[in-house]
Amino acid sequence: MIKAVIFDVDGTLIDTVDLHAAAWVEALKHFGFEVAFQDMRAQIGKGGDQILHGLLPPALVSEKGEEIREFRTNLFKSDYLPRARAFPGVRDLFETLRDRGKRVVLASSGKEDEVEHYKEIANIADLVEDATSSDDAERSKPFPDIFRAALAKLGPLTAEEVVVVGDTPYDAEAARKAGIRSVGVLCGGFPEDALRAAGCIAVYDSPEDLLVRLDRSVLADG
């Protein structure tokens, strides 16, 4: 029986994928690099340390990467984060999981203060046992470090007793590498076939859809 759930945050619980993509596009333009919004959007779900490697030459990432990431972080917090909203049904889903004895941990590649802010936006701070952020892992998704850190917070539970919920193929890939099963949600914008190809064992429209179909999901009791 599944005893705990590890939730990705951006695009899974909070509607921020377009906001992150727009902030990255604006930040890169500030440094003289033009990247199409849709190309950038396809990268969201990776951590900032991985995103630039998919867009800029390695030498340029080494030279300017830290400066670009810092600029992007400050820009996102000031201009984009205030627009972030939770998807419908998040608190109801978390309350149901808690009432059924499931432990819940958040696993984000974002900064710790952003994750804390998202808890407040979704009104779930009182329902979350723990959370990871970029400070808890040397490498971000699609590497498994974030989910391994989250699993460690759930000790003594094993990977077989835990499920990851995420919205991107990078979540599913990272979960698979950590030995944890994953289910996907479509609200982040990635297609179902991409999520399943990356390893998701089931896919739902949104947190609200997962709640509605909870008793027929891998999270069902018994």
Side-chain angles (χ1 to χ4, degrees), residues 52-68:
L52 291 179
H53 287 289
L55 298 168
L56 303 178
L60 199 54
V61 174
S62 297
E63 179 185 354
K64 288 282 189 180
E66 185 174 350
E67 185 180 359
I68 293 172

Side-chain angles (χ1 to χ4, degrees), residues 2 4-5 7 97 100 102 163 165 210 214 217-221:
I2 297 302
V5 189
F7 282 92
L97 292 172
R100 296 185 179 191
K102 313 291 186 188
V163 164
V165 179
L210 175 56
L214 194 62
S217 77
V218 68
L219 299 179
D221 294 327

Side-chain angles (χ1 to χ4, degrees), residues 114-130:
E114 290 178 18
V115 177
E116 291 301 314
H117 186 62
Y118 290 149
K119 288 183 189 177
E120 298 303 323
I121 290 175
N123 190 24
I124 55 173
D126 58 320
L127 303 173
V128 174
E129 179 175 323
D130 214 328

Side-chain angles (χ1 to χ4, degrees), residues 34-210:
E34 295 285 344
V35 178
F37 177 82
Q38 288 301 325
D39 291 340
M40 178 55 72
R41 199 184 193 287
Q43 299 293 318
I44 303 303
K46 300 178 182 177
D49 59 325
Q50 301 300 316
I51 283 178
L52 291 179
H53 287 289
L55 298 168
L56 303 178
L60 199 54
V61 174
S62 297
E63 179 185 354
K64 288 282 189 180
E66 185 174 350
E67 185 180 359
I68 293 172
R69 288 192 293 270
E70 183 176 356
F71 182 89
R72 200 273 337 163
T73 295
N74 292 333
L75 176 66
F76 181 78
K77 289 179 180 178
S78 64
D79 293 5
Y80 292 92
L81 185 57
R83 308 180 209 172
R85 298 292 182 269
F87 289 114
V90 171
R91 182 171 177 86
D92 290 342
L93 173 60
F94 278 42
E95 285 181 335
T96 300
L97 292 172
R98 184 193 63 178
D99 291 346
R100 296 185 179 191
K102 313 291 186 188
R103 300 168 65 186
V104 174
V105 169
L106 305 183
S108 173
S109 297
K111 300 294 184 181
E112 183 177 0
D113 58 342
E114 290 178 18
V115 177
E116 291 301 314
H117 186 62
Y118 290 149
K119 288 183 189 177
E120 298 303 323
I121 290 175
N123 190 24
I124 55 173
D126 58 320
L127 303 173
V128 174
E129 179 175 323
D130 214 328
T132 67
S133 67
S134 57
D135 295 331
D136 295 298
E138 183 176 343
R139 303 168 300 175
S140 63
K141 304 166 193 174
F143 291 98
D145 304 28
I146 289 288
F147 290 139
R148 285 176 177 163
L151 183 61
K153 293 177 182 292
L154 288 166
L157 296 186
T158 65
E160 291 75 21
E161 296 172 298
V162 179
V163 164
V164 163
V165 179
D167 69 300
T168 75
Y170 315 119
D171 294 314
E173 181 180 346
R176 188 180 73 247
K177 290 175 179 176
I180 308 171
R181 288 174 290 174
S182 68
V183 301
V185 288
L186 300 175
C187 46
F190 281 88
E192 180 172 353
D193 58 352
L195 297 178
R196 289 190 180 276
C200 287
I201 61 173
V203 177
Y204 302 89
D205 289 340
S206 63
E208 194 169 46
D209 183 39
L210 175 56

